[in-house]
Amino acid sequence: RKEVEQDPGPFNVPEGATVAFNCTYSNSASQSFFWYRQDCRKEPKLLMSVYSSGNEDGRFTAQLNRASQYISLLIRDSKLSDSATYLCVVKIYNFNKFYFGSGTKLNVKP
Amino acid sequence: GAGVSQSPSNKVTEKGKDVELRCDPISGHTALYWYRQRLGQGLEFLIYFQGNSAPDKSGLPSDRFSAERTGESVSTLTIQRTQQEDSAVYLCASSLALLAGGPDTGELFFGEGSRLTVL
């Protein structure tokens, strides 16, 4: 079983839409959680960390549910520039390893 | 430059040849990771170096793969007797050491990758 699972999509949404992605993780010892963004043929870059109480960064909101072992990312008022692949990332503290989901592709259409 | 530097950016080789990929991390970053990303796939963990500790090699797919890192500097990933299935982008990332109980931004800084094509 993969450490991190995501719906690959693609999610095709119009500009201005609200879209949500979920991911699940298998290791209950997971300590830290993140969303990364990867543009086509580019390297991944950190979008935001995910905190237990949930956190917001502009149009982006991340939530963590430890009991159910899932993480979500909500994007409001989608922009064309949001088109990318969103990677869910989990870190197992004791092993200091980052596990990446396979990513969810988002296409924002005009 | 201030970022993670990888070379070569593109490598085309024939099946059976050895290749060496290089990663120069951000100065001061003690943690260094290698990942593999096949076309349309996610990132596959290969190996992790942290300071002078023994590396975590648990992700290396076969004994044809090896990596070295001298201290907290450059790392090289070597693939011997390449196979077509090795074709992928090899991504290197570095991060600050995590002090016990210290904050963890979770930020891995990636290089642009080395795209390997095995014919």
Side-chain angles (χ1 to χ4, degrees):
Chain A
R1 182 182 175 185
K2 291 183 181 178
E3 292 283 347
V4 183
E5 304 236 28
Q6 294 183 251
D7 179 345
F11 285 59
N12 297 308
V13 303
E15 272 187 290
T18 295
V19 61
F21 311 134
N22 290 330
C23 95
T24 57
Y25 60 95
S26 60
N27 193 324
S28 59
S30 301
Q31 292 283 115
S32 304
F33 310 89
F34 314 93
W35 284 100
Y36 275 68
R37 171 190 168 132
Q38 186 173 26
D39 292 302
C40 187
R41 299 178 78 88
K42 296 286 191 181
E43 72 275 20
K45 293 184 179 177
L46 179 67
L47 176 66
M48 60 194 301
S49 301
V50 185
Y51 302 123
S52 298
S53 55
N55 50 296
E56 198 172 293
D57 183 0
R59 298 180 294 108
F60 299 83
T61 300
Q63 297 278 355
L64 167 64
N65 185 319
R66 285 189 184 270
S68 301
Q69 296 185 198
Y70 80 79
I71 306 150
S72 66
L73 177 68
L74 182 79
I75 306 176
R76 291 182 299 278
D77 188 24
S78 299
K79 311 290 184 191
L80 294 176
S81 57
D82 294 335
S83 297
T85 296
Y86 291 83
L87 304 170
C88 178
V89 183
V90 166
K91 185 176 181 181
I92 314 288
Y93 181 87
N94 289 342
F95 301 103
N96 219 19
K97 277 160 61 171
F98 292 81
Y99 291 95
F100 284 75
S102 56
T104 298
K105 188 170 175 61
L106 172 65
N107 295 318
V108 181
K109 309 288 189 181
Chain B
V4 176
S5 177
Q6 289 189 247
S7 61
S9 55
N10 275 287
K11 175 72 176 179
V12 179
T13 191
E14 293 178 348
K15 180 181 171 181
K17 301 281 190 184
D18 297 352
V19 297
E20 192 172 278
L21 309 177
R22 176 189 168 103
C23 173
D24 199 345
I26 293 173
S27 178
H29 282 192
T30 59
L32 186 147
Y33 302 78
W34 283 99
Y35 288 87
R36 177 170 71 178
Q37 188 171 33
R38 292 193 168 110
L39 188 63
Q41 305 290 314
L43 274 70
E44 178 186 357
F45 168 79
L46 297 177
I47 188 168
Y48 158 63
F49 296 91
Q50 172 66 61
N52 293 317
S53 302
D56 179 345
K57 304 180 181 180
S58 60
L60 294 178
S62 76
D63 59 8
R64 295 187 296 105
F65 288 72
S66 62
E68 292 184 350
R69 185 183 188 198
T70 305
E72 296 180 359
S73 60
V74 171
S75 175
T76 55
L77 176 69
T78 301
I79 309 173
Q80 295 178 308
R81 306 181 302 281
T82 52
Q83 304 294 312
Q84 288 182 330
E85 71 223 32
D86 299 335
S87 296
V89 175
Y90 290 81
L91 289 160
C92 174
S94 70
S95 71
L96 288 168
L98 177 66
L99 299 176
D104 179 8
T105 66
E107 186 150 20
L108 291 177
F109 293 85
F110 283 87
E112 293 185 348
S114 292
R115 184 175 301 277
L116 174 66
T117 303
V118 182
L119 301 176

